[in-house]
Amino acid sequence: EDAWEREVLRHPRAQQPRTLHFLHLLATDTSGHAFRPSSPQYLSMVARVDALAARVYERMEAAFPDGRTVYVLTSDHGMSLRGSHGGG
C-alpha cells in the first residue's frame, strides 16, 4: 500500500457512487524538457510512469470491482527532439 492508495482509495468518499479521481503524472514532461525525449533518463521515466499507470489501474479495479469504471487518459503536448514545444 502506498500513499496514493491510503489517501485516495481508502477515503470515505471514494466508496460513494460516481466518484471522480484525477491523477496528474508530470514526471515524463519534466524529464523530456530537462534531458530531451530520446535520452535514457526520459525513456526510463516513461517506463516508470507506464508501470505506475498499470498499478493504478489494477488497484482501481480491485477497489471498485463493479465493472463500471471509466478511464480517460490524456496528454498535454508533444515535444521536439530538443525538448521544446512545437517545432523549435
Side-chain angles (χ1 to χ4, degrees):
E1 179 177 289
D2 56 23
W4 177 81
E5 187 173 17
R6 282 191 307 276
E7 297 297 321
V8 177
L9 293 181
R10 301 208 184 278
H11 191 280
R13 283 189 165 168
Q15 302 307 317
Q16 295 177 358
R18 296 189 179 108
T19 300
L20 173 69
H21 297 273
F22 177 84
L23 178 61
H24 181 214
L25 303 173
L26 186 61
T28 51
D29 183 70
T30 302
S31 292
H33 288 298
F35 302 108
R36 298 190 177 181
S38 298
S39 69
Q41 295 93 332
Y42 174 76
L43 297 175
S44 173
M45 188 57 66
V46 169
R48 289 175 60 191
V49 169
D50 186 56
L52 174 62
R55 242 178 49 228
V56 167
Y57 172 78
E58 291 165 2
R59 291 188 178 174
M60 289 292 287
E61 289 297 302
F64 306 101
D66 63 1
R68 297 180 58 194
T69 301
V70 175
Y71 299 90
V72 179
L73 307 174
T74 66
S75 63
D76 64 343
H77 60 79
M79 191 173 297
S80 73
L81 294 177
R82 293 187 297 179
S84 63
H85 298 152

